[in-house]
């Protein structure tokens, strides 16, 4: 009888914890795909900005940007690290751009994709 109670208790714990462990959030999957560059960003995920400075040696770009919804960030001017520094080769100061921003591993902000604004 004691053995049955232990089995039932173990099964109940497994059922309760299983879905929490097995199902990653959709944001985690989106961030992983976006960082890897394997999925094109939907236009809704992109923010508008203007290139203010480019530091190709450091792989950074300074953008004056509008709201960044996915980061809950108001408009401002700030520096972003490019996840792929080659993206900076096609930019020049003054360009109007659309970009996808994210958080880097070190707590800074990154540009995961950037393109000329239409």
């Amino acid at each position: 009888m004691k053995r049955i109670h232990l089995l039932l208790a173990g099964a109940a714990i497994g059922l309760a914890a299983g879905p929490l462990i097995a199902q990653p959030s959709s944001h985690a999957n989106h961030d992983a795909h976006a960082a890897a560059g394997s999925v094109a960003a939907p236009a809704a995920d992109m923010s508008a900005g203007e290139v203010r400075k480019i530091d190709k040696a450091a792989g950074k770009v300074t953008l004056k940007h509008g709201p960044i919804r996915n980061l809950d960030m108001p408009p401002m001017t700030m520096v972003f690290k490019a996840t792929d520094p080659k993206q900076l080769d096609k930019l020049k100061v003054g360009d109007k751009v659309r970009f996808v921003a994210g958080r880097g591993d070190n707590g800074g902000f990154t540009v995961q994709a950037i393109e000329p604004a239409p």
Side-chain angles (χ1 to χ4, degrees):
M1 184 74 162
K2 185 176 185 181
R3 193 170 166 177
I4 292 172
H5 287 282
L6 288 175
L7 287 172
L8 290 174
I13 290 171
L15 288 174
L20 297 176
I21 296 168
Q23 298 176 359
S25 75
S26 62
H27 293 294
N29 285 339
H30 173 72
D31 291 344
H33 288 298
S38 62
V39 175
D45 290 345
M46 299 192 94
S47 300
E50 180 182 329
V51 177
R52 291 299 179 109
K53 181 178 177 184
I54 302 167
D55 184 348
K56 289 183 184 179
K60 296 180 179 182
V61 61
T62 303
L63 298 174
K64 178 181 178 184
H65 63 80
I68 301 177
R69 286 183 214 96
N70 65 309
L71 296 175
D72 195 27
M73 185 179 292
M76 66 179 78
T77 300
M78 60 186 291
V79 178
F80 295 87
K81 177 89 172 159
T83 56
D84 179 5
K86 292 179 185 176
Q87 296 179 93
L88 303 180
D89 292 340
K90 61 184 176 183
L91 301 177
K92 65 183 186 302
V93 173
D95 282 352
K96 303 285 186 195
V97 295
R98 295 183 333 148
F99 65 98
V100 177
R103 291 191 187 274
D105 293 335
N106 64 355
F109 294 98
T110 62
V111 167
Q112 299 167 348
I114 191 165
E115 64 185 36

